[in-house]
Amino acid sequence: MDGWSGDSSHQHSWVQRESEAGQRSPPKLRPAAVFASANRAAHLEASPLRRTHLGSHLRAGASAGRRKRRRRRLPALPPRLPGPPAATMSASAVFILDVKGKPLISRNYKGDVAMSEIENFMPLLMQREEEGALAPLLSHGRVHFLWIKHSNLYLVATTLKNANASLVYSFLYKTVEGEDQRGPKRVYYSNVFSEYFKELEEESIRDNFVIVYELLDELMDFGFPQTTDSKILQEYITQQGNKLETGKSRVPPTVTNAVSWRSEGIKYKKNEVFIDVIESVNLLVNANGSVLLSEIVGTIKLKVFLSGMPELRLGLNDRVLFELTGLSGSKNKSVELEDVKFHQCVRLSRFDNDRTISFIPPDGDFELMSYRLSTQVKPLIWIESVIEKFSHSRVEIMVKAKGQFKKQSVANGVEISVPVPSDADSPRFKTSVGSAKYVPEKNVVIWSIKSFPGGKEYLMRAHFGLPSVEKEEVEGRPPIGVKFEIPYFTVSGIQVRYMKIIEKSGYQALPWVRYITQSGDYQLRTS
Amino acid sequence: MPYLGSEDVVKELKKALCNPHIQADRLRYRNVIQRVIRHMTQGLDMSGVFMEMVKASATVDIVQKKLVYLYMCTYAPLKPDLALLAINTLCKDCSDPNPMVRGLALRSMCSLRMPGVQEYIQQPILNGLRDKASYVRRVAVLGCAKMHNLHRDSEVDGALVNELYSLLRDQDPIVVVNCLRSLEEILRQEGGVVINKPIAHHLLNRMPKLDQWGQAEVLNFLLRYEPRSEEELFDILNLLDSFLKSSSPGVVMGATKLFLILAKKFPHVQTDVLVQVKGPLLAACSSESRELCFAALCHVRQILHSLPGHFSSHYKKFFCSYSEPHYIKLQKVEVLCELVNDENVQQVLEELRGYCTDVSADFAQAAIFAIGGIARTYTDQCVQILTELLGLRQEHITTVVVQTFRDLVWLCPQCTEAVCQALPGCEENIQDSEGKQALIWLLGVHGERIPNAPYVLEDFVENVKSETFPAVTMELLTALLRLFLSRPAECQDTLGRLLHYCIEEEKNMAVRDRGLFYYRLLLAGIDEVKRILCSPKSDPSLGLLEDQAERPVNSWASDFNTLVPVYGKARWATISKYQGAERRGPELPDTASFATSGPLIPEENKERVQELPDSGALVLVPNCQLTAEYFEKTWFSLKVAHQQVFPWRGAVHPDTLQMALQVVNIQTIAMSRAGAHPWKAYLSAQDDTGCLFLTELLLESENSEMQISVKQNEPRTETLNSFISVLETVFGTIGDIKS
């Protein structure tokens, strides 16, 4: 924890420290000054809710300024605070380009940048690439291009403002990129476009341009992001011909909603919640076998099929909670989570107070929370490799894989990809288990093992011929990559202890939980 | 190709759209309209069917409506007279019972972007602002901004602005945020939306209900608000605390910026904020989305400028992975270079050495330059790695290593010996201009320590006719002349040949003039040459030390979370200069922005004014070697001119200190061994006027302070003060390295 709230409590507050002459004193925690409990803070929170009171203030402040302004326009301004100009995100236009830079679809939101500016994008990109100075941010004249690449498409936002870069990228990603593409299976795939067509690529854009236009229209207005929640967007998009016959479309319930992420009047016959606890292991091992980086990124994803406005409470074996409640006995296994982030539906003030995770969930799929664990764990699948290259004749590869997890657990769908030189030919393999396949377009051998129990050790040998004439260009040293999935197991030992579902109609709902550990960015460098 | 038969296509579609049979069949009708839009998307001019499309807008089918309205927004500026015909349908749709239709019609109407539309849209917008469906209100609020944008110079409508201010209390979170955006646009001439206390507090309380875009937006608007009291300020910080850990990187960045700006008078709070966001920032740096990762890395670099040690313990997070794109790798290398410290230097250098042999030449060279950067602090290790790299005999590596050596020798003279030993043999692997220049410069300046230097230069002279870069020839002239001064016998002949070539045969005027100049200089006698060529140089090392000094957080806080750190400050300056020049044409300078930028400039100047005399007046001469006896005699004969204490933590590393002092031309006469109590050191320095500075350093074991006493043989306070500040810089720098 940080220095200025030295006590074990996770709550803290920002207070002014008394600073002694020139010396940095240890921070002092103002007693009971956490915002939920402090009187003044509570007052701050409460006052605007008294609508009449606040309303008069708001109106008075604003109209007083205006009245003056109407009389003499410029000089009679209320004293301006020397604040910086608001430079938020505001996209002039959004383009989807094919791989050659030709616009497939575009939406001009503001009209302050000529749509022909996009013609400068591709030449600029090529030029930068040649200079070795390519970056996801390019500028031409006064126009900034912020772009991302997705499969064979470029998504480009143009803007004139000194905008908030990470927000623009988040927005572009929100529209196209799936949330979980790393694991062997895509556990969830939720983004705006994917609700309507499977893969976002050139073909699907051409086939679905009407929907893309509709979506672009709802996602942004005047260059400002509006609704990006895919569930709620679905209510605005009337895509199928069958709706045509009815003549009138359904009135979307969200039009009168206070909670932006959930509509009222949702109904399910069977009320269920599916909880997925997914931990991805990121690993980077040096060529000499020393672990450079090992971290676990955990996410808890929910698939919610619940009627009405349910109130959910999730209990985890969180160490901090156990310490708070004095439960930290030897019986209870608990885990310490770092860098915990929640979906905006979670009431953070309650989490800060008593570590309860309570929320009204959005409908359908969403990521409830994510966390990190940087405690060093033994690499789950350890690889030892010998790649011997005899110039002009052959390459011999020996790979040993060892499951370093509990014997009861089994890793499924293990894929170990071993790099081979691009000019290798006539592959021959021998494996103690599973099968090996040469994938020439990626210059790798993929050794797949359907099920890999913990504690076991397997071996693969591969032999490749090399042409007698050596290639001119030098090749890099790609790492060995491993993909796997271990069900019913989490590295951190996190557990869902309970999930309470309360709705005013009082229905019974079933929560389902499953645990998966999977490979994230799992790489072992080769020498 | 659709482009070829464009007219035929238009004709055919026109026919189809007019066909009553098709019009009767809704599905077929819509299909024809879809074809129109498809052609429009492909870039075909479809404005020919405008009339027919306007007719098609009168339908109950929402999808058809959307398509037609999209068409109208695209072609309205081309056919304003025809577009007016559509207004009627649009106005009717604005009072449709379905809020979706109302919203759609209003949005399309406001996006028509043609002259004269304003009078038609005013009433629908006003109605829309009071619509019971929030969907329509959202559209209407932004519609106000669109309307204003159509007529920028028109008077701001006070009633409308009032209405928007009151809509800030709307139930719907998106309406609230849109109000802010709209007001900002409308009131731009007057400095944007006013954030007073009730509005600020109201927004603060709505924050949790907003989505990530709204939160980021509000955080940005709150930058305008200046809390009245310290208490209020800290209350705001407490309320917003959780947003520092939001799951959206955009919100995290926005919150960080707001915190940094609000706490601009409380440096320790700023530091605490940066500690808080360390986790989220690191997570963003390993984000799956490369662009977000890139933006985060740029901001990490920004933070490192002020807090050099901030990410040092997480250095492994910045190791590059094989498949990462170039721009991320380059940023990571830069970050690694900046966060290096005593504990991680070994591992970081090991990792960087791996990159030096990467297949991508650009990346390899960036890694080598990074090692060169680290070498300013950890010279020996780095020089060793760089020397090993020369052994690879790869062209693109050798040239960069030699360039790094050149810069290093200039900045850290203590590594000259090692560099000179590594150089022989390099010439075979250098082909490019930059590398050649660097090598030739090194051979010229330090040629007396490199046995084969004259012969390497001779080879260059022999090939000078085929040399394509004039800069190399110029460098060669200078180098050979310098070497001639130290090793005349070996160089005379070669120099003669080169001068002859340059004066008689060379076509490049600059080279020729340089040749002539040196020739005439030589005619003036060898002493004159020495005087000119070997006169004291400017000393870059002082600049180096000043560079390393931390930049205050406030110097970049206002640029945080904008495009500035992402472009890099230097690139941003060129871009914005270009943009500024372009913008100045049509628009009048904004009075509000003048008022805000006004006080900034004098402040900056003030700093500069204070700095200038410091560095200008005092020039310490290198190689002022006093004997210990002379020092002792002088020390006892003088009175203490100045005494001061510096904060000091931990033990002293005499080598580091000695090196750092040497860099600024302060010689160490005597020094206690490391760990001695009390620890003492005696230093001496001399400036260009011959004034001596004798210094005693004293570190008592129980104190955390270094006491310095300075004596001066000529009492001059201004140079004394400059000297003290040099010492201060040195101690400050060493303190940084240690911590």
Side-chain angles (χ1 to χ4, degrees), chain A residues 12 69 173 255 295 344, chain B residues 134 190 210 217 241 291 317:
Chain A
H12 61 259
R69 233 168 276 159
Y173 267 97
V255 286
E295 69 168 358
Q344 71 165 138
Chain B
S134 59
E190 301 165 27
L210 307 178
E217 198 95 43
D241 188 58
E291 290 75 15
K317 295 261 177 191

Side-chain angles (χ1 to χ4, degrees), chain B residues 411 539-549 664:
Chain B
L411 295 169
D539 189 358
S541 32
L542 249 173
L544 166 78
L545 283 175
E546 271 166 15
D547 260 358
Q548 283 184 348
V664 292

